[in-house]
Amino acid sequence: MNYKHLFLFLLITSFLQAQNFEITGTVVDDQGFELEMASVSIIDSQTDEVVEGGITDMEGKFKLEAPEGNYTVKIEFISFESRIFKKVELNQNLDFGTVELMTEVDELEEVNVVAEKTEVDVKLDKRIYNIGKDLTISGGTISDALNNVPSVSADVDGTISLRGNENVRILINGKPSTLAGFGDQDVLQQLPAEAIERVEVIASPSARYDAEGTAGIINIVLKRDRTLGYNGSAQVTTGTPLNNGVTINGNLRTDKLNIFSTLTYGRRKPPGNAQYDNTFTSGAFDRIVEDRQYNRDIEDFSVNAGAEYFISEEESITYSVYARPGSRNYLNTNFTDRFIGDTFDSSTLREEFEDRDDNRYQTSLNYRKIFDEDNRDHKLEVDAQISWRDRDEEVNIFENQFTVQGEDDFLLAQEQIFDNRDEIGYLIQADYVQPVGENGQFEAGFRGDYNDNRTRFEIFLGEEDNPSNLIQDNLSNIFNYNENVTASYVQYGDKIGENFSFLLGLRYEYTQLKGETTPLLDDLSSLEQFYPDGDVETDFDNRFSNFFPTVNLIYELPDESEVTLGYNRRINRPRNWFINPFPSRTSRTNIFQGNPSLRPAFADAVDLGYLKKFEKITLSGSVYYQREEDSFERIQEDLGIVTQDGINVIINRPINLSVNERIGGELGVLYNPTKKIRFNGSFNYFRFESRGEFRGVDFGATNVSWFGRLSSRVELPWGINWQTNGFYRGPLENAQTKTDPILALDLALSKDILNDNATISVNVRDVFNSRRRIQSTRALNSDGELLFTSENEFQWRVRQISASFVYRFNQQKKQNGKKRGGGGDYDDDGGF
């Protein structure tokens, strides 16, 4: 019996000696902000070897395990004084509580430089760019900010593209949102850039994300502070051409409640212009030269407010509302000279007076539950969102003709257009994350995205001797459109060994695209001229279901570098204006018509990436390949329709034209040679090839293009910062059109004042007024004969000079924000 007792005693002693104990705590800076990604090491006191190490999570918390023994615990974070705890006897679980790190005084300048730069972080399925203090976007819009993010570019008319591909999905805080528009992107040119916390470029999305967008996803994460107490900022901007705005951010945080709000008001008058030189092989005129001027008066007010209630440390509920009532007043003039042969015949003046009220609203409810306080990755998040929009637009058009033969001038055309749109969207989403083992993670989710759109489009025609307007039946209609997408997904990720991680997923989506068109005069006979292929089809109900697999791999090399590999399948669904069968026109001679037979396009993409961090340089790069089937192309046709003054009408319509392949590579460099100088450069090169034909015409095209940007920032004497951003995009070409390269330059200066609580800045966007699109179009018939040519130049916005003043109260400088490691309140990567 004594031997049994001895054996049991030895067994228990052996077990206790092999048992690991936990060391936990929270790391904060000297302002009380949690420090994410601070380094924590457990060092053997006798051998000075690191027994265990790790980093803090988004809330500054850490948890490490080690066997019983005598250790030194070291906590470090860049530009902060390290905390070292010696002679730590570990024979039970220890809680260090809150550990405060003090800023290194000697390195204070370096702290600012490092934190202000746009930093990049790579995760399994995305790259994260923390916008930092980009001077050139002060007083600018979200569209301006995106134009400074590697891989992303904004066209002269604000169209966003990713790696040269415009079919990109825009999300706000990880979700579809009225802030990003109901399929359009115009609101990105209205919201202030200062609202952005970070931009996530998701070129290889995991199964968690929508399969929409063959180019990938851009997720814009907006700011929301969780700092205890009250803090905020106010910014005033003015500029020429007129660019006045006010932005006020406020945040109140208690132990149980976090109230946040952002108010903005803006008034802008950005002028634009365009020139067209068109030649025709048939019709009354051989050449028509146009000079267009765009005069816009844009006024917006927006409020984004909400509150997060913390039921406990592991559970919270958030309610938020967003409203943006806005108005537009445009005056667009079009001067036209018309020639027969080389002889001038006549000219016209077309004036468009447009008044538009565009109101967007959104309300959201979010519930977040963390099931395990020791493993905060075990969580459930549920979102419910309603978005709606009402837009009323009235356009009055007067077109006069002038001749040189001494005849009296006369009213050529008078039109009145009413375009009324009501849109509402419902979103329900649930995401569940379950850790598996030490590094594994299982995730599943559901999303229902349901949108109803109603458009009433009316055109009234009038003449000088007939002042009572007459409705034009072949263009006026009511179009009801429904886009319903129901999706579910599962994905699993894990880490094998010390270096290899993977994330595998499968997403299922069921889509319904339904349209009903009602002619206002119940007569479809006049539409037949627009349908040379057969019967007029105005109603449709298209349904399809698809699976979308995703694979993301990452391998960490021992020299602080990593390699990533991703595969995903994506879909491009036609938007409502692409499938509305009724034509709509921007002028008497230019008509756009949707195609109700348009099918979705599918794309498969592979992306191989690399990231390497040196002491002063961060290199990131990737090569990628994408193949898209049934891709959309907008073609231009002359269907033999002629205006009353003998001008051929050109029809633009989208079709499933081609198979296209895109292969390319990109390289990004972040370089900080000294405390006062930094460079940020990126270069993207791609080859695009499309194959397809329509009505016997070969629309195949091959194009090689590139774009690059370089940003430099220098700290001058007296604390003045000088920033320069340069952008170049190479030539482009599709089946019918060639586009010339674009070179643009932005400059900015700023200085902190009032004990660094305020900043004044001045910037010039498009210094040389060179950001304009120059194109050349040639249209052929099925016999290869030339129908018409068009040489055109378009500038959406002229050079802009702006000045801004921002004052921060109870708030650190923007570059010293709480989430120093790049985290935020919206983390949609499931921890990978």
Side-chain angles (χ1 to χ4, degrees), residues 116-128:
E116 286 178 355
K117 71 181 183 181
T118 298
E119 296 180 338
V120 58
D121 187 21
V122 175
K123 297 196 176 183
L124 267 169
D125 57 349
K126 62 189 171 187
R127 294 174 185 250
I128 301 172

Side-chain angles (χ1 to χ4, degrees), residues 203-215:
S204 183
S206 67
R208 163 188 277 259
Y209 296 99
D210 286 339
E212 176 72 30
T214 56

Side-chain angles (χ1 to χ4, degrees), residues 767-795:
V767 174
F768 301 112
N769 205 33
S770 57
R771 194 172 183 86
R772 56 186 70 209
R773 183 177 61 213
I774 302 175
Q775 294 181 319
S776 175
T777 300
R778 289 172 56 85
L780 308 177
N781 61 19
S782 57
D783 297 325
E785 298 172 339
L786 182 66
L787 294 176
F788 66 88
T789 67
S790 177
E791 306 288 336
N792 61 79
E793 182 175 314
F794 174 76
Q795 185 177 26

Side-chain angles (χ1 to χ4, degrees), residues 149 190 227 232 290 504 628 631-632 639 688 790:
V149 174
Q190 319 301 331
T227 307
E290 301 181 34
L504 308 178
E628 183 176 350
S631 62
F632 307 154
L639 300 181
F688 178 83
S790 177

Side-chain angles (χ1 to χ4, degrees), residues 19-121:
Q19 183 179 359
N20 287 344
F21 296 100
E22 291 182 353
I23 295 179
T24 57
T26 303
V27 182
V28 300
D29 66 7
D30 47 7
Q31 299 294 320
F33 296 151
E34 300 92 345
L35 291 176
E36 180 188 1
M37 298 185 71
S39 174
V40 183
S41 303
I42 301 177
I43 305 170
D44 191 299
S45 298
Q46 295 181 348
T47 64
D48 288 333
E49 293 181 356
V50 177
V51 176
E52 186 62 42
I55 59 175
T56 56
D57 62 15
M58 293 173 55
E59 298 179 348
K61 299 181 181 297
F62 66 88
K63 180 175 72 172
L64 301 176
E65 293 183 355
E68 181 179 358
N70 188 285
Y71 299 101
T72 296
V73 177
K74 186 175 184 180
I75 302 177
E76 303 170 283
F77 193 78
I78 186 171
S79 303
F80 285 80
E81 296 179 356
S82 300
R83 291 288 302 273
I84 300 175
F85 300 87
K86 297 183 178 181
K87 298 181 179 180
V88 176
E89 290 289 339
L90 186 60
N91 51 26
Q92 61 180 349
N93 293 339
L94 295 179
D95 184 5
F96 277 62
T98 300
V99 180
E100 180 178 313
L101 301 186
M102 302 298 294
T103 304
E104 291 183 349
V105 178
D106 294 338
E107 296 294 324
L108 185 57
E109 284 186 289
E110 185 173 357
V111 172
N112 291 338
V113 173
V114 171
E116 286 178 355
K117 71 181 183 181
T118 298
E119 296 180 338
V120 58
D121 187 21

